[in-house]
Amino acid sequence: MPRLLRHIAVCLAGALLLIVVPFAAAGGFRMFSGDTDAVSSASVIIDKPSGSYTVLINRDRHRNESDLAAWHEFFSGGEFTIIFDDIECVTLMGDTGALTLAQSFMSRLPENQMKVTAEDAVLTLSKAENGRFDMMIISAEAAEKYGIRSVYEGKNVDVIAVEDEPI
């Protein structure tokens, strides 16, 4: 009987250590306290790169006029207001300035509100010409190289010019 009790005590102590130590290391009950802010932006704001960029917004994907106006204000460098609209922003692969600018904008938004991807230029522009994009950021150099005018001319696309002004 004493061996059985000692065996149970050792097993319970081991199981308790396997549960309590990781829980305490992760912050214990503080992680349930509710001190987190679900809509705060990232703690590190990425600086905007220098250069000229174009932001294209597909109006077909943003039918709410107030949200669309808020995105215009946001991408133009104005005051940030809470926008209840998640976006997917695409840049062209190899367009590092546009990718950095997109990451800079993403760092100013609440977590997971903006998804940034860099995709093949020819495929992305082909999809964009058919309205299959949400938002797109392109540097002036890439715009000149690939001729993006066909993406927004005569289509339901808003064009915002972003210049060297710091965010």
Side-chain angles (χ1 to χ4, degrees), residues 5-137:
L5 289 176
R6 187 173 53 208
H7 177 73
I8 291 172
V10 168
C11 288
L12 283 175
L16 192 62
L17 281 173
L18 286 173
I19 293 170
V20 171
V21 171
F23 182 73
F29 287 104
R30 285 182 300 187
M31 62 183 164
F32 300 114
S33 68
D35 291 339
T36 59
D37 183 6
V39 295
S40 66
S41 62
S43 58
V44 177
I45 304 287
I46 298 173
D47 290 333
K48 179 185 145 199
S50 62
S52 297
Y53 300 92
T54 303
V55 177
L56 304 175
I57 302 175
N58 187 347
R59 292 181 68 91
D60 291 335
R61 302 249 177 131
H62 301 277
R63 301 220 182 256
N64 185 337
E65 288 297 322
S66 64
D67 283 347
L68 188 60
W71 284 121
H72 274 270
E73 182 74 17
F74 175 73
F75 286 117
S76 298
E79 276 300 307
F80 175 72
T81 58
I82 295 177
I83 306 170
F84 296 104
D85 191 16
D86 293 344
I87 58 172
E88 293 180 24
C89 183
V90 66
T91 64
L92 304 181
M93 198 173 295
D95 192 359
T96 56
L99 180 61
T100 304
L101 181 63
Q103 291 169 340
S104 173
F105 284 131
M106 184 174 70
S107 71
R108 296 178 58 212
L109 292 169
E111 187 174 350
N112 299 324
Q113 185 170 7
M114 181 177 181
K115 178 183 172 189
V116 176
T117 57
E119 298 179 1
D120 179 69
V122 175
L123 179 63
T124 300
L125 292 174
S126 175
K127 289 184 344 186
E129 286 177 356
N130 293 303
R132 295 183 54 208
F133 75 100
D134 188 9
M135 294 192 184
M136 184 183 297
I137 298 178

